Amino acid sequence: HYVDREFASDSDVLRVLKSDDLERFGVGPSESNNLALQEMLDYISIKDEKKSMVVMSEMLAHFSKKPYGWKAMTISGLLAMLYRGDDVRLRYQRSYLTHNPEDIARYITRKENYDKIVIELKKETSIEIIQNARWVLRDVFDISSPPEKEQELIDLLRTILDEKKQELSADLALYSEESRYPGRGRIEPYLKVIKEMLSISDPTAFLESISDEKDSLADLARDADTAVRFFKGSQKDIFK
């Protein structure tokens, strides 16, 4: 029935989602569960070709019957392997799931979520978009060694942009205390672009946005930097 390695509990599924050594679970050259993974990927691909949505509850029903007879937790584990192998994207209703292993394990192992989880075939992102996203991390946000894996790139970009959004929002709030502080016109446009980027839940569209706006993002970050440094220093005390 293709499954060489069963998944007994949600902690087994979580272990896959947290693992950097996926070969142990059958992703890559290892033979473990390879046939089961291919069977599941074929099922998703056929649905994708027919423009038919893949809901987790339907996939569970399909693979729990003959000739497969797979257990629900094993199906969740195999799905986790496809996700970690960058073969599929996961949505909870309309929102794409970001790579938080605990959250994803909870979503794909609990019965009450099965009707709400949508599985999509991962479309290949162009090398140019990946390179541009890495350039933004390196040249705009001073990350010396940006990750090469797409999901890790997305996660890191979202984390940095979210931190930057919080920092800029806090700085912007200070203008209500003292309107004479300089740099407001530099912070506002940068914050606006960051918020627009973070509002894009589709991972591919998010990366495309980063790639398209890379020069603008670099200019806005450079312009805003003077104002940000002003608030970090002691100069602002002169205005009090």
Side-chain angles (χ1 to χ4, degrees):
H1 70 353
Y2 301 141
V3 172
D4 309 309
R5 186 188 182 117
E6 295 277 1
F7 289 80
S9 67
D10 53 0
S11 59
D12 287 345
V13 176
L14 181 59
R15 205 170 295 123
V16 169
L17 292 164
K18 284 183 165 181
S19 176
D20 289 326
D21 181 17
L22 289 177
E23 214 175 295
R24 287 191 302 121
F25 298 97
V27 178
S30 159
E31 292 302 311
S32 171
N33 281 339
N34 259 1
L35 290 172
L37 287 168
Q38 191 55 56
E39 199 72 20
M40 187 175 276
L41 203 52
D42 287 346
Y43 171 83
I44 297 164
S45 300
I46 289 165
K47 290 265 195 181
D48 181 70
E49 283 170 15
K50 293 177 178 177
K51 302 283 188 284
S52 179
M53 192 164 64
V54 182
V55 181
M56 187 169 179
S57 55
E58 293 171 8
M59 193 171 78
L60 278 156
H62 177 79
F63 286 110
S64 60
K65 292 187 298 193
K66 290 182 179 180
Y68 306 103
W70 301 345
K71 292 173 183 170
M73 195 58 71
T74 293
I75 294 169
S76 296
L78 292 169
L79 179 58
M81 289 166 72
L82 288 180
Y83 174 79
R84 282 294 281 124
D86 241 6
D87 293 306
V88 297
R89 301 263 197 227
L90 299 174
R91 270 197 294 128
Y92 182 78
Q93 295 177 326
R94 290 174 181 240
S95 299
Y96 285 88
L97 301 183
T98 54
H99 185 58
N100 179 314
E102 285 81 4
D103 283 351
I104 292 173
R106 189 170 64 251
Y107 280 122
I108 67 174
T109 58
R110 294 192 182 172
K111 198 172 183 178
E112 65 267 24
N113 297 322
Y114 292 162
D115 283 333
K116 296 167 186 170
I117 293 292
V118 177
I119 302 146
E120 294 181 1
L121 205 60
K122 162 83 169 55
K123 303 293 191 288
E124 196 168 343
T125 305
S126 76
I127 292 169
E128 183 187 4
I129 287 174
I130 297 290
Q131 286 175 339
N132 286 343
R134 295 184 81 233
W135 180 88
V136 166
L137 281 170
R138 195 170 47 245
D139 287 52
V140 180
F141 298 120
D142 296 322
I143 303 296
S144 56
S145 299
E148 295 187 13
K149 281 193 74 173
E150 187 174 329
Q151 190 59 52
E152 290 172 7
L153 261 179
I154 291 167
D155 292 341
L156 183 55
L157 278 162
R158 281 197 177 279
T159 299
I160 288 172
L161 288 174
D162 194 56
E163 288 170 356
K164 190 60 69 177
K165 182 186 86 170
Q166 291 177 44
E167 180 189 12
L168 294 172
S169 296
D171 288 345
L172 205 55
L174 296 172
Y175 289 100
S176 62
E177 298 172 13
E178 177 51 80
S179 60
R180 292 177 301 155
Y181 285 152
R184 185 171 190 153
R186 293 168 178 242
I187 288 175
E188 284 177 330
Y190 187 29
L191 181 59
K192 181 173 180 283
V193 166
I194 286 174
K195 284 180 175 178
E196 285 169 358
M197 287 176 168
L198 286 170
S199 71
I200 303 169
S201 71
D202 182 320
T204 304
F206 172 72
L207 275 187
E208 285 172 354
S209 168
I210 295 282
S211 176
D212 291 344
E213 299 293 332
K214 70 181 179 69
D215 294 329
S216 170
L217 201 58
D219 290 341
L220 288 166
R222 190 169 52 248
D223 287 348
D225 186 56
T226 310
V228 170
R229 279 190 285 114
F230 169 82
F231 286 115
K232 283 181 178 171
S234 57
Q235 277 183 293
K236 65 178 183 294
D237 297 333
I238 297 167
F239 288 83
K240 291 183 178 177

